[in-house]
Amino acid sequence: MNKLASKLFEYFVINQRYFAIQKNGYYHAKNQYINSKTIESILHNKNSFLCYQEDYNLIKWICFDFDVNKELIDNGAFDKNKSVFYQELNISIQKLLDFLNEKDINYLIEFSGNRGVHIWILFEENITRQDGYIIFQAILDKADIQLDTQKFSLDKYPKSLYSSTKTDKG
């Protein structure tokens, strides 16, 4: 578990001053330092954690977060037609993956609970938030992803060209 915690820290954590732990489906922010030992403890306790993407305008990854809309889960429509929803969502995800493969861009795929999928692109060196946003948008435009927004959402990380907070939590 130590190796996994070290790799997660290396690849995903840029802002070491803040993180959040998930409890009862909600993330609770921690205004304390995170390191590989903290992550190891979180994993050992089978918790999920969130690390902030940005630190002083620098990022080390971008993420395409595809989800089934929460209201479809809340009203039971998703449970009745899960395989149909996943098939439809996978068409958009596959368009993104085809584009990334065609351009020889490495990525990670993560199933994100019961709602969707994260596609992560990790950078070898830290880049600015602005460059990350421009890269994200260029990939999104070129991959020509068409989502039915009545059923699905795509959260973007970074969410915008510029940070909306002064704390640089990201």
Side-chain angles (χ1 to χ4, degrees):
M1 190 144 355
N2 185 301
K3 259 187 175 178
L4 175 59
S6 293
K7 285 297 181 189
L8 288 170
F9 182 77
E10 175 187 345
Y11 291 143
F12 292 99
V13 177
I14 190 165
N15 186 330
Q16 298 175 27
R17 298 176 312 281
Y18 306 96
F19 67 100
I21 293 182
Q22 188 178 45
K23 291 186 180 175
N24 302 321
Y26 297 97
Y27 282 98
H28 302 276
K30 302 282 185 187
N31 189 0
Q32 64 190 56
Y33 281 88
I34 186 171
N35 57 35
S36 63
K37 291 290 183 200
T38 311
I39 295 172
E40 188 173 358
S41 174
I42 291 167
L43 294 174
H44 181 73
N45 291 316
K46 298 184 180 181
N47 289 324
S48 294
F49 76 98
L50 171 151
C51 57
Y52 293 96
Q53 180 184 26
E54 179 179 359
D55 193 27
Y56 299 110
N57 199 44
L58 294 176
I59 64 173
K60 56 170 60 176
W61 49 263
I62 60 177
C63 181
F64 298 79
D65 181 358
F66 292 90
D67 285 317
V68 173
N69 288 340
K70 190 161 177 21
E71 53 272 4
L72 295 174
I73 293 171
D74 291 345
N75 72 20
F78 176 69
D79 285 333
K80 293 176 188 166
N81 298 298
K82 225 178 239 193
S83 64
V84 173
F85 279 102
Y86 280 137
Q87 271 183 324
E88 193 173 331
L89 183 59
N90 281 338
I91 291 169
S92 295
I93 293 169
Q94 193 57 55
K95 276 188 158 190
L96 174 60
L97 298 180
D98 289 346
F99 176 78
L100 296 174
N101 288 329
E102 175 187 313
K103 298 300 180 189
D104 203 24
I105 298 172
N106 294 323
Y107 55 87
L108 299 172
I109 302 173
E110 172 194 25
F111 183 66
S112 60
N114 68 345
R115 289 186 54 208
V117 171
H118 296 152
I119 309 295
W120 302 85
I121 299 174
L122 309 177
F123 300 104
E124 290 181 14
E125 296 178 15
N126 296 342
I127 64 171
T128 66
R129 174 196 185 92
Q130 292 79 11
D131 286 343
Y133 184 79
I134 290 166
I135 291 166
F136 186 103
Q137 283 302 129
I139 291 171
L140 190 59
D141 293 344
K142 299 283 187 198
D144 192 32
I145 297 166
Q146 305 295 320
L147 274 181
D148 180 344
T149 56
Q150 296 295 311
K151 298 177 184 173
F152 309 107
S153 64
L154 174 60
D155 290 332
K156 306 169 184 180
Y157 297 96
K159 292 179 186 245
S160 64
L161 194 56
Y162 298 102
S163 180
S164 61
T165 66
K166 292 185 182 338
T167 62
D168 284 315
K169 279 207 250 181

